[in-house]
Amino acid sequence: MLIDFVGSLATGFGLMGIVLLVNRLILRNRIDRWIYPATVAFGMVAFTIWAEYTWPSRTITAQPQLALASENGEAVFYRPWTFIWPQVTRMTAINLAETRTHPDQPGMVMTQVVFIGRWEPTRGVVVIYDCVNNARADVVEGVAMNADGTLEGAEWFPLDADNPVLRTACAAVEEGNDGRASGA
């Protein structure tokens, strides 16, 4: 948050400096002085809106091991423009560096699902997806993987075939992830 605050201040005062130079050098002081604080305010608001709307792409770009699976937008009354263009506040991604398959169970994918929220700590959970039967099992205490890749003690949850996280995890293995999705 501190970086965004400093960035908005720098944008506001930088824009004011440009307007000041244009007013003094080109326009010969024809614009009233009220333009300077208005320019700072406009620059700060513009930077804040830009930062809020671009953080998902900047976050995923900064972490190339993540494959974006889904985004959740949110509209709030104190940002009326979000009713037209909802703002992404949460994302779900697959950690490609932690995606694996077992040689005896090629239809199953073990991966780390990463939950990223704006102004929230990033969380990750290990999940196994059954790409053939469209199901998910969370790897929690009491779940064990046998030598043949089957699970003991896992609770399987059925998923829709078009579930974005399931599709992203299965596609990551199908594409090969540059050799990362090899047997574990």
Side-chain angles (χ1 to χ4, degrees), residues 66 93-96 98-99 110-114 123-127:
L66 295 182
I94 298 295
N95 187 345
L96 299 175
E98 299 293 326
T99 301
M110 183 170 73
T111 189
Q112 181 183 36
V113 178
V114 181
R123 296 175 187 90
V125 295
V126 178
V127 178

Side-chain angles (χ1 to χ4, degrees), residues 7 9 30 40 48 52 58 100 107 110 112 114 151 163 171:
L9 282 176
R30 289 186 199 148
V40 172
T48 301
E52 291 296 318
R58 290 183 291 129
R100 304 282 185 262
M110 183 170 73
Q112 181 183 36
V114 181
L151 296 178
N163 181 290

Side-chain angles (χ1 to χ4, degrees), residues 138-162:
D138 299 332
V139 179
V140 295
E141 188 175 333
V143 175
M145 182 178 285
N146 297 323
D148 65 350
T150 57
L151 296 178
E152 281 187 26
E155 183 178 354
W156 288 94
F157 300 98
L159 300 172
D160 292 334
D162 60 347

Side-chain angles (χ1 to χ4, degrees), residues 62-109:
Q63 301 179 47
Q65 78 277 11
L66 295 182
L68 182 63
S70 69
E71 297 177 331
N72 296 341
E74 182 178 58
V76 290
F77 73 94
Y78 55 87
R79 294 180 181 147
W81 58 87
T82 60
F83 289 100
I84 298 169
W85 301 288
Q87 177 185 346
V88 174
T89 55
R90 289 175 304 230
M91 298 183 295
T92 305
I94 298 295
N95 187 345
L96 299 175
E98 299 293 326
T99 301
R100 304 282 185 262
T101 60
H102 193 280
D104 295 337
Q105 302 292 335
M108 292 192 186
V109 180

